[in-house]
Amino acid sequence: MSLKKQFIKTKPVVKVTFSIDAKDASSAAVVGDFNNWNVEEGTLSKLKNGTFKATYDLVKDAIYEFKYVIDGSYINDPEADSYKWNDFAGSENSVLVV
């Protein structure tokens, strides 16, 4: 799993690439504050090497909670900037600071 942040000097956005290695998975998505936790809006594309990946433009100077959804299971990113407890889900969410 990895997060890549590309800051755009001329715009108030950051290009964030979410990627997760899930060779045996049939589907993967990233859900979070930036897409209303909507699996359809967070669909990741599967590459030939088994990695799922997508890039999103996120508003700069913000903090987002997110998780990956791999074949229906919610997974945190071990490379997240931090983690935050979520009472609604009863678990921690990954945190992304841009």
Side-chain angles (χ1 to χ4, degrees):
M1 294 183 225
S2 74
L3 290 170
K4 182 180 171 189
K5 303 173 193 174
Q6 180 184 3
F7 293 86
I8 311 298
K9 291 181 181 180
T10 59
K11 297 180 182 177
V13 298
V14 178
K15 288 191 175 294
V16 179
T17 301
F18 296 90
S19 63
I20 182 167
D21 183 22
K23 291 177 177 62
D24 298 328
S26 60
S27 68
V30 61
V31 295
D33 296 335
F34 51 87
N35 65 6
N36 295 314
W37 298 88
N38 186 320
V39 173
E40 285 83 30
E41 290 182 25
T43 301
L44 302 176
S45 299
K46 190 170 188 177
L47 306 178
K48 290 180 182 178
N49 66 2
T51 300
F52 286 84
K53 187 175 185 178
T55 302
Y56 295 90
D57 289 348
L58 302 182
V59 176
K60 195 164 90 172
D61 299 325
I63 298 172
Y64 300 96
E65 291 184 38
F66 75 98
K67 283 193 177 223
Y68 292 104
V69 183
I70 310 300
D71 288 341
S73 297
Y74 288 82
I75 299 169
N76 277 324
D77 190 325
E79 296 181 19
D81 295 326
S82 64
Y83 302 95
K84 183 177 179 184
W85 181 258
N86 181 293
D87 286 331
F88 179 76
S91 66
E92 286 186 327
N93 289 333
S94 300
V95 174
L96 170 67
V97 179
V98 293

